[in-house]
């Protein structure tokens, strides 16, 4: 069997989460109609996935640090495939919710192991560049997911979207099996690392919050957008699929720019630029909407600008949180991932609980998230990293 490059395996592993969410987004209204449920109830299939994904990371981290990356990956991806197939067979909402919860658990194993592999081989800005490169591939897949999901939902039914998720899982399993050889080595005298080890580290907290808040803005858009653009604006499922794809394309561009800028700029400098883009996108969305510009593009174009900034924050936040803990990369990735998804879960719950129209809720959520993100990116990250110089200085090497 031909051996897949490790870079391809990392890209697929990090894409496991957006594939499991973005691919079936255009099918959410169809699922609601098919199962005879309301929009809020069907949105729970996404919420329960995120919740299971977030909690399971706390278990996945110790597992990949104890049993190694490869073994956990192969078992986790097998479970990912089985859960997606179970979802295609669901005839009632509780069955679908259970399948999505199991898939969230499996996805946690894939993503945490991938982040630990990156830290096994690279530290500091180098690790952030590798993370950015892997996320570029992830976002390229993300561009295709809602488009493919829209076509599948339109012509084959909502079950076809989950069948495609299962197919992706098989591809990722084969990439790991053929392209990854264990990079983890058991330390001779491992030191204990409890939750406080991570939460008391300023760089960990600042970078985890940076990634979490940035992800929250992307997640709120994913949760609410089908009901805004299909429900309120009357777009077809196929036409709607192009909108998340545009946002994923903007995220892809952001990761490419982030990786290149990290070769010449300090990490806080790159994060500040991302914060400016986030403010321009989230703030622009609020100003346009409350200024009476109630069109599809008044929501989508600012969201794309926000996602461009997300392409800066996500690799810097994820790699920056794990960087100080080379001996506990799995646990550090797990706790930071829990912070990321926990932040996203709370934001998503607040958004779905709103009694306002989906469009008004989206604008309000993006305004609040953008304001908090700006504080973390412009104040907390530079303070925690204590870096003002360009790469090459001691402070930058220690990131």
């Amino acid at each position: 069997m031909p051996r897949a490059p490790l870079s391809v395996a990392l890209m697929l592993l990090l894409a496991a989460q957006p594939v499991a969410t973005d691919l079936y987004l255009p099918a959410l209204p169809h699922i609601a109609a098919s199962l005879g449920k309301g929009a809020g109830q069907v949105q729970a299939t996404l919420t329960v996935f995120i919740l299971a994904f977030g909690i399971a990371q706390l278990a996945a981290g110790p597992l990949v640090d104890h049993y190694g990356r490869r073994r956990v990956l192969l078992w986790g991806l097998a479970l990912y495939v089985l859960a997606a197939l179970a979802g295609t067979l669901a005839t009632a909402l509780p069955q679908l919710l259970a399948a999505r919860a199991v898939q969230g658990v499996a996805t946690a194993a894939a993503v945490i192991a991938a982040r630990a592999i990156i830290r096994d081989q690279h530290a500091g800005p180098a690790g952030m560049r590798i993370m950015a490169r892997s996320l570029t591939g992830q976002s390229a897949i993300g561009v295709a997911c809602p488009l493919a999901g829209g076509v599948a939902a339109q012509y084959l039914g909502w079950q076809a979207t989950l069948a495609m998720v299962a197919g992706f899982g098989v591809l990722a399993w084969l990439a790991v099996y053929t392209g990854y050889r264990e990079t983890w080595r058991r330390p001779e005298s491992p030191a204990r690392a409890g939750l406080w080890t991570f939460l008391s580290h300023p760089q960990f907290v600042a970078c985890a919050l940076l990634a979490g808040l940035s992800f929250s803005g992307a997640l709120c858009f994913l949760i609410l957008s089908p009901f805004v653009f299909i429900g309120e604006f009357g777009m077809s499922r196929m036409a709607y699929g192009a909108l998340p794809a545009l946002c994923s394309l903007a995220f892809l561009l952001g990761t490419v720019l982030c990786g290149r800028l990290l070769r010449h700029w300090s990490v806080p400098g790159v994060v500040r630029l991302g914060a400016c883009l986030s403010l321009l996108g989230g703030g622009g969305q609020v100003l346009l909407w409350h200024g009476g510009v109630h069109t599809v593009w008044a929501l989508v174009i600012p969201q794309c600008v926000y996602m461009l900034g997300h392409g800066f924050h996500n690799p810097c936040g994820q790699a920056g949180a794990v960087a100080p803990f080379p001996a506990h990369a799995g646990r550090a990735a797990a706790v930071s991932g829990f912070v990321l998804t926990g932040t996203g879960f709370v934001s998503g719950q607040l958004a779905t609980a709103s009694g306002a129209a989906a469009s008004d809720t989206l604008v309000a959520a993006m305004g609040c998230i953008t304001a908090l993100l700006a504080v973390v990116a412009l104040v907390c990250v530079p303070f925690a990293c204590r870096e003002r110089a360009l790469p090459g200085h001691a402070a930058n090497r220690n990131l």
Side-chain angles (χ1 to χ4, degrees), residues 36 62 67 72-73 97 102 107 114 129 172-173 183 198 207 237 293 370:
Y67 293 105
V72 173
L73 277 173
L97 288 171
V102 173
T107 305
R129 289 196 297 270
W173 191 96
T183 56
F198 308 109
C207 289
R237 295 181 182 88
V293 187
T370 299

Side-chain angles (χ1 to χ4, degrees), residues 165-258:
V165 174
F168 173 86
V170 172
L171 184 63
W173 191 96
L174 290 172
V176 171
Y177 185 79
T178 62
Y180 174 60
R181 297 296 176 263
E182 187 62 71
T183 56
W184 171 79
R185 297 292 180 269
R186 185 186 297 275
E188 294 182 1
S189 55
R192 295 182 62 83
L195 187 62
W196 185 245
T197 304
F198 308 109
L199 296 182
S200 62
H201 197 289
Q203 182 177 319
F204 176 90
V205 173
C207 289
L209 285 176
L210 177 73
L213 286 169
S214 189
F215 170 70
S216 295
L219 180 63
C220 283
F221 182 80
L222 289 178
I223 291 174
L224 294 169
S225 60
F227 302 96
V228 173
F229 299 113
I230 297 175
E232 295 184 24
F233 286 94
M235 297 181 71
S236 70
R237 295 181 182 88
M238 288 184 61
Y240 162 76
L243 302 185
L246 284 175
C247 292
S248 295
L249 190 61
F251 175 67
L252 184 154
L253 178 59
T255 60
V256 171
L257 292 174
C258 176

